């Protein structure tokens, strides 16, 4: 997310309708296991019978002659396969199997090998389609547009259906003319891992988040008091009995004397602060079942410490990033209560709606996340109301900034706020950079959705730059500002677990920066030198905090070089389509390394296994 220490600054057929009971996924708290799980409680099993179609049709049911070894197609393994459609006329094929998956396992992965060929000549219209589903959830839809030579393996994590009986299915539909064949082979549903206590499922919760905040500042804009409330729902089949607030900026104080204070909690019972005073557990009065909603409220105090930091004061200017408490995420790994890192980011959060009202002296400008409207307050004061939809965090600044504004050709309002000491020429240059960058990124990944963006400039920032939704802190640097604005997409719109997978935003954003500035990254992988056999691009912040001198080199440099190399493997057109489609499919969602690798593999007939190994991208 930030450029802290950034070097640039120095279908056809629903193949199986299978009743499946999927085991629960493993879960543990970040700081300690939530369950004393033992892998011995789960016997790894493959539960699809006759997945290679070598034993006739049993136990499969469905359309006649779908399971075959006839000429015209070939198997991935053995001699038989499932051939759906390929008629060149209106046709539907189906195939089904009842499967029972043992309980007590933490992982359930559905995989199959798929080959598609077609007589369709279009490059833009999906006439013939194959849909893969589990229960009522569509896993994927393939079409004549996905035709490629050879087989590609498709793989899906179905652990989120823990403890449920579901239907695994593929369904293929062909239109009146020009055949498309969907050939499936070697279907498997593998289970592994486990524990004695069924853990939570993989659904990210709490969800449907909304924050309402009302704060009033002192005369300097460095101290704020008021109230915050949060509404949420439980998206998970597992009951939600508590929530956790992350008070990230308490890292900057001396626990228990903290710059962020939460008092008078309503809607639940607050426990003592943990994780260096950055986590506050609130037990709900009654556990929330799936789909039920809840709310909490609390009085909030914020005192900005001295120092030109993402949360800090530089003279008359206050920078207030990560100061609003936000709700932590519970998923298959349990509650994410990772520690704060000053080397990068820990801020894993779901998209939410914020309404923030900031009452401040009229002599202070207050750039903020979202779209702001100023109205007169009490004598000598102004009320800034900022609204932001589907953002992962909220940040603002306060001070006697100089401001210039412009609008990009695509219609995005861009504001540049400068501290004293930054020349008007530098500010104007950064406005031009912002306008160019915001449209360049939008053209590649999808239209910028937040209406306006604020860039706050201070050359005293030791970290280079820092990104928040619709709001960035930066030095006067074309490359750095282009990078921070790229984060509006990778971390902001396409989210990720920043602590455990920092490459998903930093490497992707640095690659996007290269694209926006016309750099091809030619030969940049040639100078790679690893610190150890264990070091990899996909290491977590726990590793990088222990090896801080390697963080920018590996995550930023090697990470973007790997993406440049992937572009050379896929080709420019395919890589452009991959990144645009991947961003669109994860819009306001969360990306994982496994999902990106699967999407990249689906974009090429070249087996990428050795590519991931060479570039040390695991997950």
């Amino acid at each position: 997310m930030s450029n802290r220490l950034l070097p640039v600054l120095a279908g056809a057929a629903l193949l199986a309708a299978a009743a499946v009971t999927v085991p629960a996924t493993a879960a543990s708290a970040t700081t300690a296991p939530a369950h004393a799980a033992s892998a011995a409680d789960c016997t790894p099993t493959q539960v699809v019978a006759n997945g290679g179609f070598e034993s006739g049709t049993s136990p499969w049911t469905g359309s006649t002659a779908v399971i075959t070894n006839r000429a015209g197609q070939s198997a991935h393994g053995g001699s038989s396969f499932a051939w759906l459609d390929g008629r060149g006329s209106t046709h539907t094929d189906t195939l089904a199997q009842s499967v029972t998956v043992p309980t007590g396992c933490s992982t359930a992965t559905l995989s199959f090998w798929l080959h598609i060929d077609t007589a369709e000549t279009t490059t833009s219209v999906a006439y013939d389609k194959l849909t893969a589903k589990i229960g009522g959830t569509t896993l994927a839809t393939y079409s004549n547009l996905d035709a490629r030579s050879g087989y590609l393996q498709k793989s899906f994590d179905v652990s989120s259906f823990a403890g449920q009986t579901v239907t695994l299915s593929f369904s293929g539909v062909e239109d009146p003319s020009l055949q498309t064949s969907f050939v499936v082979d070697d279907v498997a549903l593998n289970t592994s891992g486990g524990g004695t206590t069924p853990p939570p499922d993989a659904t990210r919760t709490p969800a449907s988040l909304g924050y309402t905040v009302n704060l009033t500042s002192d005369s300097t804009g460095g101290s704020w008091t008021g109230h915050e409330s949060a509404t949420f729902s439980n998206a998970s089949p597992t009951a939600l009995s508590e929530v956790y607030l992350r008070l990230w900026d308490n890292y900057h104080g001396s626990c228990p004397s903290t710059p962020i204070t939460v008092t008078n909690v309503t809607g639940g019972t607050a426990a003592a602060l943990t994780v260096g005073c950055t986590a506050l557990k609130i037990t709900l009065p009654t556990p929330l079942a799936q789909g039920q909603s809840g709310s909490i409220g609390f009085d909030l105090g914020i005192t900005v410490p001295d120092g030109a930091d993402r949360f800090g004061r530089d003279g008359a200017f206050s920078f207030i990033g990560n100061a609003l408490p936000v709700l932590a995420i519970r998923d298959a790994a349990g509650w994410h209560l990772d520690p704060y890192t000053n080397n990068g980011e820990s801020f894993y959060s779901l998209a939410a709606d914020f309404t923030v009202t900031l009452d401040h002296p009229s002599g202070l400008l207050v750039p903020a996340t979202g779209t702001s409207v100023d109205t007169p307050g009490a004598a000598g004061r102004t009320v800034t109301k900022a609204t932001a939809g589907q953002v992962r965090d909220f940040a603002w600044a306060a001070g006697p900034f100089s401001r210039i504004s412009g609008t990009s050709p695509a219609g995005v309002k861009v504001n540049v706020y400068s501290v004293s000491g930054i020349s008007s020429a530098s500010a104007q240059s950064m406005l031009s950079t912002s306008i160019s960058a915001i449209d360049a990124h939008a053209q590649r990944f999808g239209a910028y959705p937040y209406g306006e963006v604020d860039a706050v400039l201070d050359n005293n920032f030791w970290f280079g730059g820092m990104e928040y939704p619709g709001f960035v802190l930066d030095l006067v640097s074309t490359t750095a500002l282009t990078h921070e604005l790229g984060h509006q997409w990778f971390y902001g719109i396409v989210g990720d677990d920043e602590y455990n997978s920092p490459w998903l935003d930093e490497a992707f954003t640095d690659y996007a920066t290269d694209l926006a500035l016309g750099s091809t990254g030619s030969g940049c992988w040639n100078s790679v030198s690893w610190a150890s056999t264990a070091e990899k691009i996909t290491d977590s912040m726990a590793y990088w905090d222990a090896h801080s001198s390697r963080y920018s080199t590996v995550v930023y440099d090697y990470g973007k070089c790997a993406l440049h190399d992937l572009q050379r493997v896929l080709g420019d057109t395919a890589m452009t389509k991959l990144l645009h489609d991947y961003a669109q499919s994860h819009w306001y969602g969360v990306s994982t390394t496994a999902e990106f690798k699967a999407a990249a593999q689906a974009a090429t007939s070249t087996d990428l296994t050795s590519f991931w190994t060479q570039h040390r991208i695991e997950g």
Side-chain angles (χ1 to χ4, degrees):
M1 323 309 250
S2 75
N3 56 305
R4 307 165 81 82
L5 306 178
L6 187 64
V8 297
L9 298 178
L14 172 65
L15 174 54
V20 181
T21 303
V22 184
T25 55
S28 62
T30 302
T31 54
H35 304 286
S38 170
D41 295 319
C42 173
T43 301
T45 307
Q46 197 292 105
V47 298
V48 173
N50 192 22
F53 311 108
E54 301 300 317
S55 304
T57 59
S58 179
W60 299 97
T61 61
S63 303
T64 303
V66 164
I67 297 175
T68 183
N69 60 3
R70 68 184 186 271
Q73 296 292 343
S74 59
H76 173 259
S79 60
S80 296
F81 45 88
W83 185 351
L84 301 112
D85 293 339
R87 304 295 184 93
S89 59
T90 302
H91 187 74
T92 298
D93 274 326
T94 61
L95 196 64
Q97 180 186 152
S98 179
V99 181
T100 301
V101 180
T103 59
C105 298
S106 64
T107 301
T109 302
L110 170 69
S111 64
F112 56 90
W113 290 84
L114 175 65
H115 166 64
I116 304 173
D117 65 47
T118 186
E120 301 284 1
T121 59
T122 179
T123 59
S124 59
V125 181
Y127 289 115
D128 311 314
K129 298 179 181 179
L130 170 70
T131 302
K133 298 177 68 176
I134 187 166
T137 300
T138 297
L139 297 172
T141 299
Y142 309 99
S143 75
N144 49 281
L145 299 178
D146 299 306
R148 294 219 196 320
S149 60
Y151 278 86
L152 291 177
Q153 187 178 36
K154 310 298 181 180
S155 182
F156 305 89
D157 179 1
V158 296
S159 302
S160 61
F161 295 90
Q164 301 180 49
T165 298
V166 293
T167 298
L168 169 63
S169 58
F170 302 79
S171 178
V173 179
E174 195 172 18
D175 78 344
S177 65
L178 299 177
Q179 76 86 23
T180 299
S181 294
F182 300 91
V183 188
V184 180
D185 203 358
D186 294 334
V187 184
L189 203 164
N190 289 287
T191 63
S192 62
T196 57
T197 303
D201 66 279
T203 305
R204 297 180 181 97
T205 199
S208 304
L209 299 165
Y211 297 95
T212 302
V213 184
N214 291 275
L215 295 174
T216 300
S217 83
D218 65 359
S219 60
T220 69
S223 179
W224 300 77
T225 57
H227 189 79
E228 177 176 345
S229 61
T231 59
F232 52 89
S233 68
N234 180 19
S236 166
T238 304
L240 187 67
S241 58
E242 74 277 336
V243 296
Y244 284 85
L245 284 174
R246 296 314 308 262
L247 285 63
W248 289 114
D249 282 338
N250 281 347
Y251 167 87
H252 298 278
S254 177
C255 183
S257 300
T258 58
I260 310 297
T261 59
V262 168
T263 56
N264 300 323
V265 174
T266 60
T269 303
L273 290 167
T274 58
V275 195
C277 284
T278 67
L280 178 64
K281 179 181 179 180
I282 299 175
T283 301
L284 302 178
T286 304
L288 300 180
Q290 186 174 27
Q292 290 185 321
S293 297
S295 65
I296 58 172
F298 48 89
D299 292 336
L300 176 64
I302 300 170
T303 302
V304 184
D306 289 334
D309 209 331
R310 52 189 176 186
F311 179 58
R313 299 187 67 180
D314 185 9
F317 302 92
S318 294
F319 310 103
I320 312 169
N322 307 114
L324 292 186
V326 295
L327 290 169
I329 296 174
R330 189 190 75 187
D331 60 17
W335 285 105
H336 283 258
L337 304 178
D338 303 297
Y340 185 98
T341 174
N342 207 36
N343 194 30
E345 286 78 49
S346 302
F347 318 124
Y348 179 27
S349 56
L350 297 183
D353 296 333
F354 283 81
T355 301
V356 180
T357 302
L358 303 169
D359 185 324
H360 57 89
S362 298
L364 304 179
L365 295 183
V366 181
T369 292
T371 301
S372 296
V373 176
D374 288 345
T375 57
R381 298 185 69 86
T382 296
V383 176
T384 298
K385 183 176 182 179
T387 57
Q390 294 299 286
V391 297
R392 299 179 192 280
D393 202 348
F394 185 97
W396 72 101
F401 295 100
S402 298
R403 177 178 60 192
I404 57 174
S405 301
T407 302
S408 78
V412 179
K413 183 179 180 181
V414 179
N415 305 303
V416 171
Y417 294 80
S418 303
V419 302
S420 54
I422 292 180
S423 70
S424 58
S426 292
Q428 188 62 52
S429 174
M430 292 302 93
L431 178 61
S432 298
T433 292
S434 300
I435 288 172
S436 175
I438 206 76
D439 279 2
H441 296 317
Q443 186 175 14
R444 288 185 174 90
F445 310 122
Y448 179 75
Y450 300 131
E452 68 178 66
V453 62
D454 296 337
V456 181
L457 306 178
D458 187 337
N459 280 331
N460 289 330
F461 289 142
W462 68 267
F463 50 87
M466 179 64 198
E467 70 286 351
Y468 297 97
F471 176 98
V472 300
L473 305 172
D474 219 319
L475 307 171
V476 175
S477 166
T478 296
T479 304
L481 188 52
T482 302
H483 174 97
E484 300 309 327
L485 292 171
H487 274 305
Q488 298 304 307
W489 282 263
F490 291 103
Y491 139 78
I493 298 168
V494 180
D496 65 281
D497 180 346
E498 296 181 289
Y499 188 84
N500 290 296
S501 300
W503 90 287
L504 286 171
D505 51 270
E506 295 299 356
F508 279 62
T509 296
D510 228 23
Y511 172 73
T513 301
D514 276 4
L515 296 180
L517 298 179
S519 174
T520 65
S522 177
C524 65
W525 190 256
N526 297 341
S527 60
V528 166
S529 177
W530 300 102
S532 71
T533 57
E535 188 173 77
K536 53 187 180 292
I537 288 173
T538 47
D539 279 328
S540 73
M541 287 308 305
Y543 176 87
W544 302 121
D545 281 346
H547 304 82
S548 59
S549 66
R550 298 289 295 163
Y551 173 56
S552 62
T553 298
V554 178
V555 173
Y556 291 73
D557 285 359
Y558 296 1
K560 75 174 180 181
C561 287
L563 293 172
H564 280 299
D565 280 4
L566 182 62
Q567 178 177 339
R568 283 181 269 275
V569 173
L570 270 58
D572 294 352
T573 299
M575 186 67 169
T576 298
K577 184 177 188 302
L578 166 63
L579 288 176
H580 179 272
D581 292 354
Y582 189 77
Q584 293 295 308
S585 66
H586 290 77
W587 205 257
Y588 301 139
V590 174
S591 170
T592 67
T593 298
E595 288 170 335
F596 179 73
K597 288 170 67 175
Q601 183 60 79
T604 179
S605 59
T606 301
D607 188 340
L608 295 177
T609 302
S610 61
F611 179 92
W612 306 125
T613 300
Q614 177 195 358
H615 292 81
R616 300 200 185 189
I617 295 173
E618 298 180 4

